[in-house]
PDB file of all heavy atoms in Angstrom:
ATOM      1  N   ILE H 680       6.096  -4.428  11.366  1.00  0.00           N
ATOM      2  CA  ILE H 680       6.776  -3.129  11.157  1.00  0.00           C
ATOM      3  C   ILE H 680       8.230  -3.306  11.609  1.00  0.00           C
ATOM      4  O   ILE H 680       8.496  -3.876  12.697  1.00  0.00           O
ATOM      5  CB  ILE H 680       6.075  -2.004  11.942  1.00  0.00           C
ATOM      6  CG1 ILE H 680       4.686  -1.818  11.356  1.00  0.00           C
ATOM      7  CG2 ILE H 680       6.876  -0.718  11.854  1.00  0.00           C
ATOM      8  CD1 ILE H 680       3.878  -0.674  12.025  1.00  0.00           C
ATOM      9  N   GLY H 681       9.177  -2.767  10.820  1.00  0.00           N
ATOM     10  CA  GLY H 681      10.577  -2.953  11.142  1.00  0.00           C
ATOM     11  C   GLY H 681      11.372  -1.665  11.233  1.00  0.00           C
ATOM     12  O   GLY H 681      10.813  -0.549  11.133  1.00  0.00           O
ATOM     13  N   ARG H 682      12.647  -1.795  11.479  1.00  0.00           N
ATOM     14  CA  ARG H 682      13.570  -0.664  11.562  1.00  0.00           C
ATOM     15  C   ARG H 682      13.768  -0.027  10.178  1.00  0.00           C
ATOM     16  O   ARG H 682      13.608  -0.726   9.173  1.00  0.00           O
ATOM     17  CB  ARG H 682      14.914  -1.130  12.135  1.00  0.00           C
ATOM     18  CG  ARG H 682      14.881  -1.528  13.550  1.00  0.00           C
ATOM     19  CD  ARG H 682      16.266  -1.920  14.091  1.00  0.00           C
ATOM     20  NE  ARG H 682      16.608  -3.245  13.660  1.00  0.00           N
ATOM     21  CZ  ARG H 682      16.404  -4.333  14.394  1.00  0.00           C
ATOM     22  NH1 ARG H 682      15.867  -4.265  15.616  1.00  0.00           N
ATOM     23  NH2 ARG H 682      16.757  -5.545  13.941  1.00  0.00           N
ATOM     24  N   PRO H 683      14.159   1.269  10.173  1.00  0.00           N
ATOM     25  CA  PRO H 683      14.332   1.927   8.869  1.00  0.00           C
ATOM     26  C   PRO H 683      15.378   1.197   8.028  1.00  0.00           C
ATOM     27  O   PRO H 683      16.445   0.861   8.527  1.00  0.00           O
ATOM     28  CB  PRO H 683      14.779   3.360   9.258  1.00  0.00           C
ATOM     29  CG  PRO H 683      15.124   3.314  10.679  1.00  0.00           C
ATOM     30  CD  PRO H 683      14.361   2.202  11.282  1.00  0.00           C
ATOM     31  N   PHE H 684      15.080   0.969   6.801  1.00  0.00           N
ATOM     32  CA  PHE H 684      15.935   0.342   5.772  1.00  0.00           C
ATOM     33  C   PHE H 684      16.328  -1.108   6.179  1.00  0.00           C
ATOM     34  O   PHE H 684      17.257  -1.679   5.641  1.00  0.00           O
ATOM     35  CB  PHE H 684      17.228   1.185   5.539  1.00  0.00           C
ATOM     36  CG  PHE H 684      16.863   2.519   4.939  1.00  0.00           C
ATOM     37  CD1 PHE H 684      16.757   3.630   5.788  1.00  0.00           C
ATOM     38  CD2 PHE H 684      16.584   2.606   3.589  1.00  0.00           C
ATOM     39  CE1 PHE H 684      16.376   4.846   5.216  1.00  0.00           C
ATOM     40  CE2 PHE H 684      16.202   3.849   3.081  1.00  0.00           C
ATOM     41  CZ  PHE H 684      16.091   4.967   3.899  1.00  0.00           C
ATOM     42  N   ASP H 685      15.551  -1.683   7.089  1.00  0.00           N
ATOM     43  CA  ASP H 685      15.792  -3.084   7.484  1.00  0.00           C
ATOM     44  C   ASP H 685      14.655  -3.976   6.943  1.00  0.00           C
ATOM     45  O   ASP H 685      14.112  -4.800   7.695  1.00  0.00           O
ATOM     46  CB  ASP H 685      15.938  -3.194   8.991  1.00  0.00           C
ATOM     47  CG  ASP H 685      16.460  -4.575   9.417  1.00  0.00           C
ATOM     48  OD1 ASP H 685      16.940  -5.314   8.524  1.00  0.00           O
ATOM     49  OD2 ASP H 685      16.356  -4.908  10.587  1.00  0.00           O
ATOM     50  N   GLU H 686      14.268  -3.775   5.710  1.00  0.00           N
ATOM     51  CA  GLU H 686      13.287  -4.605   5.107  1.00  0.00           C
ATOM     52  C   GLU H 686      13.708  -6.071   5.161  1.00  0.00           C
ATOM     53  O   GLU H 686      12.870  -6.992   5.236  1.00  0.00           O
ATOM     54  CB  GLU H 686      13.046  -4.238   3.644  1.00  0.00           C
ATOM     55  CG  GLU H 686      12.291  -2.937   3.410  1.00  0.00           C
ATOM     56  CD  GLU H 686      13.149  -1.702   3.515  1.00  0.00           C
ATOM     57  OE1 GLU H 686      14.337  -1.837   3.759  1.00  0.00           O
ATOM     58  OE2 GLU H 686      12.607  -0.585   3.336  1.00  0.00           O
ATOM     59  N   GLY H 687      15.011  -6.317   5.134  1.00  0.00           N
ATOM     60  CA  GLY H 687      15.536  -7.690   5.144  1.00  0.00           C
ATOM     61  C   GLY H 687      15.053  -8.491   6.322  1.00  0.00           C
ATOM     62  O   GLY H 687      14.711  -9.672   6.195  1.00  0.00           O
ATOM     63  N   THR H 688      15.033  -7.878   7.519  1.00  0.00           N
ATOM     64  CA  THR H 688      14.572  -8.595   8.695  1.00  0.00           C
ATOM     65  C   THR H 688      13.108  -8.933   8.577  1.00  0.00           C
ATOM     66  O   THR H 688      12.671 -10.044   8.889  1.00  0.00           O
ATOM     67  CB  THR H 688      14.854  -7.792   9.962  1.00  0.00           C
ATOM     68  OG1 THR H 688      16.247  -7.675  10.127  1.00  0.00           O
ATOM     69  CG2 THR H 688      14.252  -8.428  11.196  1.00  0.00           C
TER      70      THR H 688
END
Side-chain angles (χ1 to χ4, degrees):
Chain H
I680 295 181
R682 290 183 281 265
F684 297 98
D685 191 15
E686 286 83 0
T688 294

